[in-house]
Amino acid sequence: MHMNKLLNKLKSIFSKDRDILLKIFFTSITRAISAFGTFVFNFVLAKVLGVDDFGTFMLMYTIVIGLGFIIRYGYANAIMRFGAILYADHHFFHIKQIENKVFRNTMLISIVVGIILIFGSNLIAENYLGIEDPKIVILFAFSLPFFSYLSIQSS
């Protein structure tokens, strides 16, 4: 008797939220495939580039990841927190406004930080990476806004 009530309650919960659960499931699968691809990519890159070049690449990758984290710090929580409140109150237009503000702020900050990296590329290349050619710093500086955009979109 109690088991039937429990099963019926679970069925009603899953039938209401089936779309949300499917989206969560597909998002999880996509992230798992992405993580596996990154894992394999790092091995291939290490094999192709060699130890020194791979180390330089990973140092710059770490800088971009760290700067991207600082740039978007708190924005994902703001979207989820205020988005849920606005969704519950049926203010769908305001949710889009929050997303647009977060997007604009993140892109502006990441572009400014990217420009600072470009201007300091020689300093970073010589002092932090121990290389003379700052091209990799410039490449990652240009990729910073795109990385920030993808991170915000995933949240």
Side-chain angles (χ1 to χ4, degrees):
M1 182 72 176
H2 293 292
M3 187 60 127
N4 286 337
K5 285 183 180 180
L6 179 64
L7 288 175
N8 288 334
K9 187 160 188 124
L10 286 174
K11 284 180 185 178
S12 69
I13 290 172
F14 286 126
S15 65
K16 292 177 188 174
D17 299 328
R18 183 174 183 203
D19 290 337
I20 293 172
L21 291 174
L22 283 174
K23 288 179 182 179
I24 290 171
F25 174 74
F26 287 123
T27 300
S28 299
I29 294 296
T30 304
R31 286 186 179 239
I33 292 169
S34 175
F36 180 73
T38 302
F39 183 73
V40 171
F41 175 72
N42 283 335
F43 278 106
V44 171
L45 199 60
K47 197 73 166 165
V48 170
L49 289 180
V51 176
D52 290 338
D53 291 335
F54 183 70
T56 302
F57 176 84
M58 289 311 290
L59 281 172
M60 277 311 302
Y61 184 72
T62 303
I63 289 173
V64 168
I65 294 289
L67 288 174
F69 177 76
I70 292 169
I71 288 169
R72 67 182 191 281
Y73 183 75
Y75 282 134
N77 291 335
I79 290 172
M80 291 172 53
R81 182 180 195 184
F82 296 117
I85 293 169
L86 293 170
Y87 182 82
D89 293 339
H90 302 290
H91 296 291
F92 303 114
F93 178 72
H94 296 295
I95 295 171
K96 195 66 174 166
Q97 285 181 328
I98 289 175
E99 289 176 348
N100 290 337
K101 285 180 183 179
V102 166
F103 173 72
R104 281 193 309 257
N105 290 345
T106 302
M107 291 308 292
L108 178 66
I109 293 169
S110 64
I111 288 170
V112 168
V113 171
I115 290 171
I116 291 169
L117 281 177
I118 290 171
F119 283 124
S121 62
N122 286 328
L123 182 70
I124 293 169
E126 290 174 7
N127 294 330
Y128 185 70
L129 300 175
I131 57 174
E132 294 179 16
D133 191 11
K135 288 180 186 174
I136 191 166
V137 178
I138 295 170
L139 174 71
F140 275 95
F142 277 112
S143 72
L144 184 60
F146 298 107
F147 175 74
S148 297
Y149 173 74
L150 290 174
S151 298
I152 288 297
Q153 288 298 322
S154 69
S155 64

